[in-house]
Amino acid sequence: MDFRESPEHAAIRAAVAEIGASFGHDYFVKCTTGGVFVDELWSTVFGQGFGGVNLPEEYGGGGGGIYEMAIVIEELAAQGCPLIFLIVAGMCGPIIDDFGTDDQKRRWLPALASGQQKMSFAITESGSGSNAPNLATTARLENGSWRLSGQKQYITGIDVADAVLVVARTGTDAKGRSELGLFIVETDRPGLEYQPIPMEIKEPDRQFSVFLDGVDVPQANLVGGVPGKGMLQVFSGLNPERINVAAQAVGLGRYFMGKAVSYAKSRDVWGQPIGAHQGVSHPLAEAKIQIELSRLMAYKAAWEFDHGEPTVGESASVAKLAAADAVLFAFDQAVQVHGGNAFASEYGIADLWGLTRLMRSAPVSREMVLNYVAQHTLGLPRSY
């Protein structure tokens, strides 16, 4: 077992870190307060080939996998630029690559790999929570096209997306269980509307309620072209999402640690830096340990996904839980070290609390991860 990073991975990490540093957290905050998308950063990341690093070379991508995408996401977050929408982009392209028809791949993958077009992902509904088969959004085949009706909640970045992958019920199987389908829906189709959800999270990637009022979609827009395959397609995207959220949490943890350590070295009280006191240094050391442990799990999960290992479901969920806990601890220590200065805008810490806390709840709650491990690993009885 070799834990050394390859020269190729080290080069990706260094290049993306340089891009992130050239924009920095001030740019991120400027876009957030201005209510605009991070167009310049997005164009630079994709223009240098890193946004589509996990898509096939034949479609203009980098030919890598989730491991490489996790590096990109981690390094941007470590520079104070955590992009939720990049995690979404890291889901949509691979789903089309794995399950799409040849026409769907030719139509969408080159545009997604280059960043010239963007795709959002719509599964969440207020009434279904973590129970995907309980979705209320329906897709009915009428007069040679699919008609989608329903409502989605907390859909990231649909305002800047050219299309959205919508998960909908297409019918029921012989046992009465819901069958799902994934549909590529262009965002300018009649009947599709969205409105922003006011959020306390300070992010340029905004959240939306999406309304589908009899949206007609060609049969050719059903991912894979065959109804009833959506459950497999959905779950193929959930593990990468959790891995990439873990990578973002690790990156943010590094960002907070960098801030805290620098301040602890330079803040001089009573003749010595505050970092000389164990009451300051020990919590920071513990935060560093937690970040490194969760980082190992995140890249273990990424490796397992890219190699088709059956254990990836548990690893991805555990990585997400561990990294979310670690980044919250790192954030808290950064706040404690800075004292009142942590809440001043110039220090670039407090504005990231909402996003940092979100990662403990989404895209899968801490409790659901514990349920999964209890039932699937420990063999304990199911409670729901």
Side-chain angles (χ1 to χ4, degrees):
M1 186 176 294
D2 190 350
F3 288 96
R4 292 172 299 179
E5 195 159 70
S6 71
E8 292 79 12
H9 288 157
I12 293 173
R13 193 176 293 282
V16 175
E18 184 177 352
I19 293 172
S22 70
F23 285 87
H25 188 62
D26 288 344
Y27 169 81
F28 181 88
V29 172
K30 180 181 177 181
C31 291
T32 299
T33 56
V36 297
F37 188 65
V38 289
D39 288 308
E40 295 87 353
L41 176 56
W42 188 272
S43 297
T44 303
V45 170
F46 277 83
Q48 295 192 25
F50 298 114
V53 70
N54 60 331
L55 296 177
E57 291 181 334
E58 63 181 298
Y59 295 109
I66 293 301
Y67 198 106
E68 288 74 19
M69 179 55 77
I71 290 175
V72 174
I73 289 170
E74 179 193 344
E75 290 305 320
L76 288 175
Q79 300 301 326
C81 299
L83 302 182
I84 297 177
F85 197 52
L86 190 57
I87 295 174
V88 176
M91 294 170 58
C92 294
I95 288 175
I96 294 175
D97 181 41
D98 288 340
F99 301 101
T101 64
D102 289 340
D103 286 344
Q104 290 167 352
K105 294 177 183 180
R106 285 192 294 267
R107 163 65 183 89
W108 288 104
L109 292 184
L112 295 177
S114 67
Q116 294 177 356
Q117 291 192 313
K118 306 179 186 70
M119 187 174 289
S120 187
F121 188 83
I123 183 172
T124 304
E125 295 181 8
S126 58
S128 60
S130 300
N131 187 5
N134 199 39
L135 295 175
T137 299
T138 59
R140 304 185 188 282
L141 196 57
E142 299 179 4
N143 301 320
S145 64
W146 290 96
R147 173 160 289 193
L148 276 62
S149 298
Q151 181 176 340
K152 300 290 184 178
Q153 291 287 104
Y154 297 109
I155 307 308
T156 304
I158 195 171
D159 60 324
V160 298
D162 300 278
V164 54
L165 270 182
V166 177
V167 184
R169 295 173 59 185
T170 57
T172 55
D173 62 17
K175 296 182 179 180
R177 297 173 299 193
S178 295
E179 293 182 333
L180 303 180
L182 265 67
F183 298 85
I184 303 171
V185 183
E186 293 84 354
T187 52
D188 60 358
R189 285 197 171 273
L192 188 153
E193 297 182 1
Y194 51 84
Q195 61 184 34
I197 301 173
M199 303 286 288
E200 292 302 318
I201 296 173
K202 308 303 182 184
E203 257 277 340
D205 309 322
R206 296 191 294 166
Q207 303 297 313
F208 292 84
S209 297
V210 178
F211 306 93
L212 302 151
D213 186 10
V215 179
D216 284 327
V217 178
Q219 285 185 269
N221 285 30
L222 172 63
V223 174
V226 180
K229 304 294 184 181
M231 187 68 74
L232 175 63
Q233 296 166 3
V234 166
F235 278 97
S236 76
L238 295 184
N239 287 329
E241 182 183 31
R242 293 169 189 182
I243 293 167
N244 286 335
V245 167
Q248 186 173 85
V250 168
L252 267 182
R254 289 170 52 201
Y255 173 80
F256 293 137
M257 285 296 296
K259 292 277 188 180
V261 170
S262 177
Y263 193 82
K265 289 178 178 178
S266 62
R267 175 67 167 160
D268 195 302
V269 179
W270 294 304
Q272 62 181 339
I274 60 174
H277 301 292
Q278 291 177 349
V280 173
S281 64
H282 282 189
L284 291 178
E286 186 175 352
K288 169 66 173 176
I289 290 169
Q290 289 189 21
I291 291 167
E292 289 302 322
L293 289 173
S294 60
R295 192 169 191 252
L296 283 173
M297 198 66 203
Y299 285 98
K300 175 179 184 286
W303 185 92
E304 288 181 348
F305 182 87
D306 289 340
H307 289 80
E309 294 293 324
T311 53
V312 67
E314 178 182 324
S315 296
S317 296
V318 170
K320 183 267 174 190
L321 183 152
D325 285 354
V327 70
L328 268 175
F329 186 74
F331 171 84
D332 195 54
Q333 299 316 310
V335 169
Q336 199 67 14
V337 167
H338 281 79
N341 283 335
F343 303 95
S345 298
E346 67 176 288
Y347 287 87
I349 297 173
D351 61 285
L352 286 167
W353 180 86
L355 175 61
T356 301
R357 181 59 181 82
L358 173 67
M359 288 187 284
R360 181 173 277 185
S361 300
V364 60
S365 71
R366 198 173 191 278
E367 291 73 21
M368 288 304 294
V369 173
L370 295 176
N371 282 339
Y372 184 93
V373 173
Q375 293 157 18
H376 293 272
T377 304
L378 303 180
L380 296 170
R382 186 183 178 97
S383 64
Y384 58 94

